[in-house]
Amino acid sequence: MNGTTAARASSHVEPVSACDTARHDIREVVCGANDGIITTFAVVAGVAGGGVPLSAVLIIQALPMQEAQPLRHGAATFVALVAAGSVPLVPYTIPPLPLDRFACSIILTMLGLFTVGALRSMISA
């Protein structure tokens, strides 16, 4: 290296078909969904373990890759994070629930993670 910065070509290839676009965007969706469901469940588990009131669960809450449409990817990540992140909270939004809310949250979290993984394998296979 002679100390000068060499220009680097982008390895980004813009998808053409709907299937290629889905495969291309799946990383952001999976990352956002996993982030949302795991972080929300961590809050639910902490609140349930701490014995705080029910209402507290709903209150507490190398080189970079070059992308041609960062706004679209950011939006996909955000929507997936919010949608999947709400899954562990569902038992806490149902008024009279005869079951253990935390146990229901565990089951819904596992189902959510399974669903995200299954959808990813269907699209990326």
Side-chain angles (χ1 to χ4, degrees):
M1 289 254 161
N2 59 7
T4 60
T5 305
R8 296 186 180 154
S10 173
S11 60
H12 176 75
V13 177
E14 193 63 27
V16 180
S17 70
C19 187
D20 288 341
T21 301
R23 285 189 176 129
H24 182 263
D25 293 346
I26 195 67
R27 284 179 299 201
E28 287 82 11
V29 173
V30 168
C31 181
N34 283 336
D35 263 357
I37 200 166
I38 293 296
T39 55
T40 305
F41 180 72
V43 171
V44 168
V47 170
V52 257
L54 170 68
S55 59
V57 173
L58 300 176
I59 295 170
I60 302 174
Q61 268 314 349
L63 295 174
M65 183 181 292
Q66 297 175 358
E67 291 291 344
Q69 298 180 352
L71 185 59
R72 186 181 82 205
H73 295 291
T77 302
F78 176 74
V79 168
L81 185 138
V82 171
S86 65
V87 170
L89 296 175
V90 170
Y92 294 91
T93 62
I94 302 169
L97 191 64
L99 305 170
D100 179 20
R101 292 175 194 274
F102 184 57
C104 290
S105 184
I106 291 171
I107 292 167
L108 289 176
T109 298
M110 291 184 342
L111 287 172
L113 289 170
F114 176 81
T115 302
V116 169
L119 291 174
R120 179 181 183 207
S121 70
M122 289 171 52
I123 292 174
S124 62

